[in-house]
Amino acid sequence: MSRRVGRLRPRSVNTKWIGLAVLALPTLLISIDVFVLLLALPHLSAELGAGSTEQLWIMDIYGFMLAGFLITMGTLGDRIGRRRLLLIGATAFRLRDFLHKLTTRLVRENQTVVIEDLTVRAMVKNHSLARAISDASWRELRGMLTYKAAWYGRELVVVDRWFPSSKLCSACGTLQDKMPLGVRMWECACGVVHDRDVNAAKNILAVGLAER
């Protein structure tokens, strides 16, 4: 009994590529929609009188709901757990909510915002700082301040990363020789007791305003 052996057609491979293209097209369209919405947000906010909370919902709820549906119905949800993924998504959304409200308030209430040019990537390598830096989302905070300052016509001043903001006394201008990371409170020779972060913030603001 003879058997015919034919050439296998790469039909399954073509089908996979077609399926990938079908899945990628909606993703591309969603990305374009979000980008257009980002550009139109200042005009929408002005017309609707939207506050910081309303702006957050305008920008994030569409992608958040879509991502939630896709994740919970996908294989990733089967592996990790749908409830756990939803909790992770809700936590991330709350963090973005806080960052949006904070940056919007800073930009609206101030004509000039001064920040320090921190090397976040290098600082994350420090194990004692990595958790705090990641929780604070410094990189995302700076990004939000940058584009919101442009939206509202505010000035964002970035102070050089090598400026000794922590070691400089904001009262008399004396520069300390050393300031270990573990020191949170210190007293200057002039008698003023400083909180490390508050003192650094005062110095950053002063030098930022002077550089304008």
Side-chain angles (χ1 to χ4, degrees):
M1 183 176 180
S2 62
R3 299 176 61 183
R4 297 182 61 184
V5 180
R7 296 179 60 184
L8 295 177
R9 299 179 180 178
R11 184 173 182 180
S12 59
V13 178
N14 294 335
T15 304
K16 290 180 180 179
W17 281 107
I18 294 174
L20 180 61
V22 171
L23 293 175
L25 182 60
T27 305
L28 177 62
L29 294 177
I30 292 172
S31 301
I32 295 174
D33 289 343
V34 173
F35 181 74
V36 172
L37 183 59
L38 181 66
L39 296 177
L41 184 60
H43 304 283
L44 292 174
S45 301
E47 292 292 331
L48 300 176
S52 58
T53 303
E54 289 79 9
Q55 291 180 24
L56 172 67
W57 282 105
I58 292 173
M59 286 300 304
D60 288 347
I61 192 60
Y62 176 65
F64 177 74
M65 293 297 296
L66 183 61
F69 284 128
L70 291 177
I71 290 176
T72 54
M73 291 186 295
T75 56
L76 187 60
D78 295 332
R79 294 179 181 179
I80 299 179
R82 294 180 175 87
R83 182 177 298 179
R84 184 178 180 184
L85 284 175
L86 285 176
L87 289 175
I88 293 173
T91 302
F93 183 74
R94 287 177 63 87
L95 177 60
R96 285 184 60 84
D97 179 33
F98 171 75
L99 292 177
H100 271 292
K101 290 179 179 178
L102 175 63
T103 52
T104 300
R105 180 180 177 183
L106 288 173
V107 172
R108 281 186 169 181
E109 296 181 357
N110 300 278
Q111 294 295 323
T112 303
V113 179
V114 184
I115 61 175
E116 189 176 8
D117 184 20
L118 298 174
T119 53
V120 177
R121 181 177 300 178
M123 296 178 69
V124 168
K125 296 179 181 179
N126 187 324
H127 298 292
S128 60
L129 291 175
R131 180 64 181 273
I133 294 172
S134 299
D135 290 345
S137 301
W138 286 359
R139 185 180 291 107
E140 189 170 5
L141 179 68
R142 177 173 175 174
M144 290 182 180
L145 285 173
T146 301
Y147 73 75
K148 288 184 181 182
W151 281 357
Y152 291 98
R154 303 296 195 260
E155 183 180 9
L156 180 65
V157 180
V158 181
V159 177
D160 186 82
R161 68 186 62 174
W162 304 113
F163 175 68
S165 58
S166 299
K167 297 189 295 182
L168 186 66
C169 176
S170 58
C172 68
T174 302
L175 182 63
Q176 307 299 314
D177 295 331
K178 296 181 180 180
M179 185 62 60
L181 185 61
V183 177
R184 309 310 305 172
M185 302 289 298
W186 60 278
E187 183 177 359
C188 181
C190 66
V192 178
V193 178
H194 293 292
D195 178 280
R196 181 192 184 99
D197 296 330
V198 174
N199 177 68
K202 291 179 180 179
N203 288 324
I204 291 171
L205 177 61
V207 72
L209 295 178
E211 291 178 355
R212 294 177 57 193

